[in-house]
Amino acid sequence: MQLPATLVALALVAPVVSKTVDSSLYSNEAPLLWGPYKPNLYLGICPRLPESLIAGLMWGKLDEQDKKLRHTVEQNDGMAMYGWTTYDARSGGTQIVQDVGNQIDITTEFVKKSEGQSSGNWALRIKGKPREGAPADLKTSVIFFVGMEGKEGCADCQLEAFEQLGAGDDKSVEAVNIAIKHPRVGSAGIHIPTSVGEDGRHEGTIVHTLNVTEDKLWQAKSTFLDALKAQSNDRTEAGKMDVVLRNAPGSGNMQFVQMIIHGSFHFDVLYSSREATRAMTTSEMAGGIQDNVVAYRKDYARVFALKAPFNTDQHALFGQKMLADLLGGIGYFYGRIKIDESKKAIYAETTGKFWEKTADAKKHSIPETRGPYELFTHTPARAVFPRGFLWDEGFHLLPVLEWDVDLAMEVVQSWLKSMDDDGWIAREQAVGIEAENGILSDALTQYPHIANPPTLFLVVSKFIDILQGKAKYYGHESTLLKPEAGKKFVAKLYPLLKKHYEWWRKSQSGDIEAHSVPSANLNEGYRWRGRTPEMNYPSGMDDYPRAEPPDITELHLDALCWVGLMSRTLEKIAFFTETTHDAFTYQNHIRGIRINLEALHWEEQQNAYCDTVVRDDKHTYVCHKGYLSLFPFMTGFIDASHPHLDAILRLLRDQNQLWTDHGIKSLSQEDKKYGVGDNYWRSPIWINFNYMILTQLFSLAKMPGPHQARCKGIYIELRKNIVHTVFSSWLQTGYAWEQYDPVGGHGQRTQHFTGWTSLVVSIMAMPDLEQGDGVKDRVKEIYE
Ligand code: 6A9
């Protein structure tokens, strides 16, 4: 083991701290220990260990540091572009931030090296390059910080900075070393050579150690600026505000390593665990960066092999970036969430204007906390919502599953572990104080009667397809795909999935009897709890039109279909894990669901599936044609010979209803709520549902049936339209977007929405069915 002198000395005195990575987890998990798991920061690194270490980067133009110091990702920072260009959870990746305001482009390269079960080494190379038009002598302040959580009262903890002096006469500082000792992390050292690359000139490296309260650790920016302010105030002579912290290395719970650099630069941060057989070196890191880029591109080409007409270099670059941003948006969270279960009786929603009572209860609610627990999840958008969203995660994991099945299932497991004793999973999880920061408490509090679409079941279902060889896997080497391992894992998840399913059926059950439909099955009808006028947040399609005013007799079509999707997944699991007896129960449920899709939800006049409600004692349809009407189709209940397939295809391919050249839009323009109000789910195009539509079209295109050719034709067109939409918007703006405008096709709402919009990666890899057999023309004939 070759460690810098100071660290060698340290290693000798440091007792070996026993490894604390949870040994109950399977073996492919150790390489996931460290990562840029604070996606809310441009670069925030921590291990997947509660209350341990945080590290990260801040930068800004020296004389505007107080206003433009970059730390948390902010949409209004006005970056020309930012995000990962390559990223893999096991080996690392490269991120670029084009910082217009600070006139500099920052590149962060992150490399991980882990051996066996050891806690592993990692390294960072930070590069800066002045942007065009920047002054010749652009001065940038760059700060690398490390904080240690839970240090107070921890006798065995250490976070100490040392300067490593050169052998030369001038005794200049050659490197900064930070010694780390922590019961969960073990002993380690961070080595930061002070040289800043060939052209870079810098005014020395300073280390400033602080002892701060815990809440200051994750607020590195204000902690740093406050320290500068305090330092300026301490001076007796009046003058300008200080821009550089005093050099004061020592022992504390927070370390700032600050450099003032002229022009372009690069410097390295090398983290070596004492358990590793050798220390991380600059050359190992440089080699690692190169290898990672090459491997990432190669892996991408294999796993997401682009199919015509998207087999171009430009689409490859685009896809690599989209995937890297999805993977790089993963976060590790630890802490508590706010929940309110004190008024379960009120939330039962059994009387007339139930939402008024609920609103009142919310007003007076004093939420309790639940936890602490861990959540390992991808995030929809780093700037605006860097936290866990249940139904988003199922979509995130579909491409991840193809890339790294063990990682995807690790995340599934993390979410399922957050389930409470009743089987409820909170839909929006801001776990811990840092994740909660800046969110109104109204949006934070979670209610245990609220559900969210169970998209994790989609992931488990596809996982079983892979295990059974029904879906091909070209991703990372996997432990779960070894004989018997996958089955064991599924058997372990099964009780949790079943519990969630049972909670869902019970908590969201609908009053079928009130509808007095003789042919209906009396068990399978569901209603989203937590509805308010014009809104249905739990469903995920927030303002998609429903019955107004909300009513306790409503039966929601999407809720029924989501239950059906769960039933079918559980049936699959039951057969797969040889718990056949259970399978019969699920089959029974599925039968009931099929009956009720027709008996309760199919509206003959409108030729569409709809929500329903009881009005004037009568079973009444509430029809707003759009994504909702497509649910039986999207969730796989419409097979090739289904009598309503024709109507569904007509609806989605009709230019006067849902079809646009940019993808399928959320609501028909013939609906009176089209584009009305906030217009969130009332016309825009969303990629998650377009993906679901495409996968169904694809499977029907392969299945003999009266509409096979149509399905194939529409599949070909829709696939092209969606990719074109996301791709061209990305070319124009540099970003992926939350949704797309149904008229112009441009990206809108949240910028750098790297969540389910990334499904475009899977879409580009879906087979191109175009054979030049005239299918397209035939489809045109039918519709136009
Ligand atoms: C807003 C902003 C500092 C809304 O992608 C996440 C969710 C989806 O699950 C849902 O289906 N989005 C969709 O209708 C975004 C939700 C953002 C809510 C929080 C607060 C201020 O934060």
Side-chain angles (χ1 to χ4, degrees):
M1 176 145 145
Q2 275 187 311
L3 281 173
T6 5
L7 292 185
V8 173
L10 260 163
L12 292 176
V13 293
V16 179
V17 179
S18 64
K19 201 163 47 58
T20 45
V21 179
D22 184 351
S23 55
S24 70
L25 296 167
Y26 53 90
S27 61
N28 207 8
E29 206 237 1
L32 299 176
L33 182 65
W34 284 94
Y37 293 145
K38 288 180 175 294
N40 59 319
L41 307 185
Y42 285 110
L43 188 73
I45 292 170
C46 68
R48 280 175 66 202
L49 295 170
E51 292 171 332
S52 55
L53 283 179
I54 55 171
L57 192 74
M58 302 190 282
W59 72 88
K61 211 185 254 187
L62 183 61
D63 48 7
E64 292 171 38
Q65 199 180 208
D66 50 335
K67 285 184 208 78
K68 289 188 189 159
L69 192 66
R70 308 302 189 196
H71 178 227
T72 53
V73 181
E74 302 294 338
Q75 210 161 274
N76 60 12
D77 278 346
M79 302 303 182
M81 188 275 265
Y82 69 92
W84 297 90
T85 51
T86 67
Y87 184 76
D88 176 70
R90 297 180 189 280
S91 53
T94 299
Q95 182 182 224
I96 296 173
V97 185
Q98 296 180 343
D99 190 343
V100 179
N102 284 309
Q103 294 182 290
I104 194 153
D105 289 342
I106 299 286
T107 303
T108 68
E109 293 167 319
F110 177 68
V111 176
K112 286 205 257 187
K113 290 278 166 187
S114 58
E115 318 159 88
Q117 284 294 300
S118 114
S119 41
N121 295 346
W122 54 265
L124 264 178
R125 170 160 287 183
I126 320 284
K127 292 186 198 159
K129 194 167 179 288
R131 288 173 65 82
E132 235 181 80
D137 191 35
L138 180 77
K139 289 191 205 95
T140 309
S141 164
V142 186
I143 302 122
F144 177 78
F145 62 86
V146 191
M148 183 175 280
E149 296 165 313
K151 185 154 179 283
E152 203 180 298
C154 167
D156 216 23
C157 288
Q158 183 187 21
L159 184 71
E160 194 168 356
F162 301 88
E163 287 175 323
Q164 185 180 309
L165 302 183
D169 290 343
D170 59 347
K171 293 269 184 296
S172 63
V173 180
E174 275 188 344
V176 171
N177 292 322
I178 299 172
I180 291 165
K181 208 160 33 128
H182 186 278
R184 292 198 184 88
V185 180
S187 293
I190 293 179
H191 180 65
I192 308 174
T194 55
S195 84
V196 291
E198 280 157 37
D199 0 321
R201 187 161 68 75
H202 86 315
E203 304 174 4
T205 302
I206 73 96
V207 190
H208 192 90
T209 308
L210 289 176
N211 268 300
V212 294
T213 52
E214 291 276 308
D215 61 321
K216 299 273 183 259
L217 292 177
W218 58 268
Q219 306 189 59
K221 179 170 162 177
S222 58
T223 306
F224 172 81
L225 292 175
D226 286 350
L228 272 183
K229 230 174 274 168
Q231 180 178 306
S232 313
N233 292 345
D234 280 353
R235 266 192 327 217
T236 40
E237 345 79 80
K240 278 208 299 191
M241 163 115 165
D242 286 2
V243 288
V244 189
L245 283 174
R246 196 180 311 119
N247 191 41
S251 186
N253 65 349
M254 183 132 213
Q255 303 285 357
F256 288 111
V257 179
Q258 186 186 12
M259 302 185 188
I260 308 300
I261 312 177
H262 299 228
S264 16
F265 62 88
H266 68 81
F267 70 90
D268 302 334
V269 176
L270 309 170
Y271 175 98
S272 304
S273 159
R274 209 199 142 193
E275 288 164 19
T277 49
R278 48 207 175 92
M280 180 58 98
T281 60
T282 297
S283 66
E284 185 178 13
M285 179 199 60
I289 292 168
Q290 273 312 311
D291 295 350
N292 283 354
V293 171
V294 173
Y296 181 79
R297 300 213 168 118
K298 213 172 111 205
D299 291 348
Y300 182 90
R302 188 184 64 245
V303 179
F304 294 106
L306 295 162
K307 309 295 180 330
F310 308 115
N311 41 352
T312 75
D313 289 349
Q314 259 196 329
H315 285 93
L317 275 179
F318 162 64
Q320 287 163 11
K321 176 93 178 58
M322 293 291 288
L323 178 72
D325 273 328
L326 170 68
L327 295 169
I330 199 167
Y332 168 79
F333 303 90
Y334 178 78
R336 300 168 190 276
I337 62 164
K338 289 206 166 59
I339 64 160
D340 179 357
E341 51 182 333
S342 60
K343 304 195 180 55
K344 273 193 175 157
I346 288 171
Y347 300 137
E349 299 182 356
T350 48
T351 57
K353 296 187 173 183
F354 56 83
W355 65 93
E356 288 180 354
K357 286 192 186 171
T358 308
D360 193 56
K362 279 188 185 169
K363 231 181 276 163
H364 301 116
S365 126
I366 304 163
E368 306 146 49
T369 58
R370 175 151 182 259
Y373 64 91
E374 302 174 286
L375 185 68
F376 191 39
T377 183
H378 300 82
T379 53
R382 289 170 62 189
V384 203
F385 1 101
R387 53 184 175 275
F389 288 85
L390 178 55
W391 87 300
D392 294 60
E393 193 55 23
F395 289 111
H396 300 160
L397 291 178
L398 292 172
V400 176
L401 191 72
E402 294 184 55
W403 177 257
D404 186 338
V405 60
D406 291 5
L407 169 65
M409 295 318 290
E410 177 69 12
V411 172
V412 167
Q413 182 171 250
S414 179
W415 272 94
L416 293 180
K417 276 188 182 164
S418 76
M419 188 181 296
D420 78 352
D421 291 341
D422 296 331
W424 167 67
I425 306 174
R427 123 188 119 86
E428 180 176 343
Q429 299 201 12
V431 178
I433 301 163
E434 183 173 6
E436 278 185 3
N437 185 41
I439 313 170
L440 296 173
S441 78
D442 221 28
L444 272 181
T445 306
Q446 299 291 303
Y447 298 86
H449 65 300
I450 301 285
N452 203 212
T455 54
L456 294 178
F457 285 70
L458 282 171
V459 183
V460 176
S461 175
K462 195 163 165 191
F463 175 54
I464 295 173
D465 289 349
I466 293 174
L467 289 172
Q468 294 183 319
K470 289 180 191 153
K472 292 226 161 60
Y473 179 74
Y474 300 102
H476 270 293
E477 203 181 307
S478 154
T479 306
L480 288 180
L481 297 187
K482 293 199 172 127
E484 293 308 304
K487 192 175 274 187
K488 265 197 203 136
F489 189 77
V490 173
K492 196 170 127 195
L493 295 188
Y494 181 38
L496 290 170
L497 293 164
K498 190 171 164 183
K499 193 160 140 186
H500 184 56
Y501 176 69
E502 282 162 3
W503 171 83
W504 229 102
R505 289 169 55 82
K506 215 168 120 200
S507 65
Q508 314 297 306
S509 68
D511 188 352
I512 305 167
E513 268 164 74
H515 289 250
S516 319
V517 175
S519 57
N521 168 294
L522 290 183
N523 298 317
E524 305 302 327
Y526 298 92
R527 168 167 64 96
W528 295 103
R529 298 305 192 274
R531 266 216 59 191
T532 52
E534 301 287 328
M535 282 295 168
N536 189 343
Y537 288 115
S539 75
M541 300 194 285
D542 306 359
D543 63 346
Y544 191 95
R546 306 273 182 165
E548 291 302 336
D551 195 286
I552 52 168
T553 63
E554 271 175 84
L555 293 174
H556 295 124
L557 174 63
D558 50 342
L560 178 65
C561 292
W562 286 122
V563 171
L565 187 126
M566 285 193 278
S567 320
R568 285 213 319 271
T569 305
L570 291 175
E571 181 201 6
K572 197 183 216 174
I573 295 177
F575 281 122
F576 181 61
T577 59
E578 287 126 39
T579 31
T580 326
H581 176 76
D582 289 4
F584 299 135
T585 311
Y586 305 129
Q587 285 173 345
N588 207 16
H589 297 166
I590 295 166
R591 247 190 311 275
I593 290 165
R594 286 192 192 277
I595 290 171
N596 283 354
L597 281 175
E598 307 308 323
L600 293 172
H601 291 282
W602 175 255
E603 217 284 285
E604 204 60 59
Q605 257 71 52
Q606 302 246 11
N607 224 4
Y609 290 99
C610 305
D611 280 348
T612 66
V613 68
V614 176
R615 272 193 200 130
D616 305 328
D617 289 334
K618 274 206 333 256
H619 175 72
T620 310
Y621 294 96
V622 180
C623 296
H624 296 279
K625 289 183 185 170
Y627 288 161
L628 187 84
S629 336
L630 303 178
F631 255 86
F633 174 78
M634 290 195 291
T635 52
F637 281 97
I638 307 293
D639 52 34
S641 57
H642 196 287
H644 299 144
L645 178 55
D646 174 56
I648 286 178
L649 295 176
R650 274 182 193 281
L651 174 65
L652 72 81
R653 184 58 189 77
D654 183 350
Q655 308 223 15
N656 296 317
Q657 306 257 16
L658 306 185
W659 185 264
T660 81
D661 289 346
H662 318 288
I664 305 284
K665 63 184 172 194
S666 37
L667 196 63
S668 162
Q669 74 241 37
E670 290 183 355
D671 194 275
K672 56 185 186 306
K673 293 267 171 82
Y674 182 80
V676 166
D678 193 31
N679 189 20
Y680 198 27
W681 289 86
R682 293 181 175 184
S683 76
I685 295 163
W686 294 80
I687 304 305
N688 58 337
F689 283 142
N690 273 279
Y691 172 82
M692 287 182 84
I693 295 166
L694 264 185
T695 51
Q696 291 307 322
L697 286 171
F698 178 68
S699 70
L700 291 170
K702 290 187 305 180
M703 232 181 271
H707 310 292
Q708 187 178 14
R710 271 166 88 190
C711 288
K712 180 172 163 182
I714 301 173
Y715 166 83
I716 292 168
E717 278 186 284
L718 181 60
R719 177 169 168 268
K720 280 190 202 160
N721 288 348
I722 297 167
V723 174
H724 179 76
T725 300
V726 182
F727 175 66
S728 51
S729 184
W730 176 81
L731 275 185
Q732 269 163 30
T733 65
Y735 291 102
W737 295 85
E738 184 178 13
Q739 46 166 244
Y740 294 85
D741 176 63
V743 180
H746 56 264
Q748 56 186 32
R749 294 265 175 163
T750 303
Q751 181 197 66
H752 202 53
F753 188 93
T754 55
W756 60 44
T757 300
S758 324
L759 281 165
V760 69
V761 164
S762 300
I763 297 174
M764 289 193 294
M766 286 173 86
D768 160 47
L769 296 182
E770 194 154 26
Q771 313 282 326
D773 60 356
V775 166
K776 207 177 152 191
D777 299 334
R778 248 177 286 144
V779 170
K780 277 222 164 91
E781 260 166 49
I782 297 175
Y783 294 102
E784 285 161 8

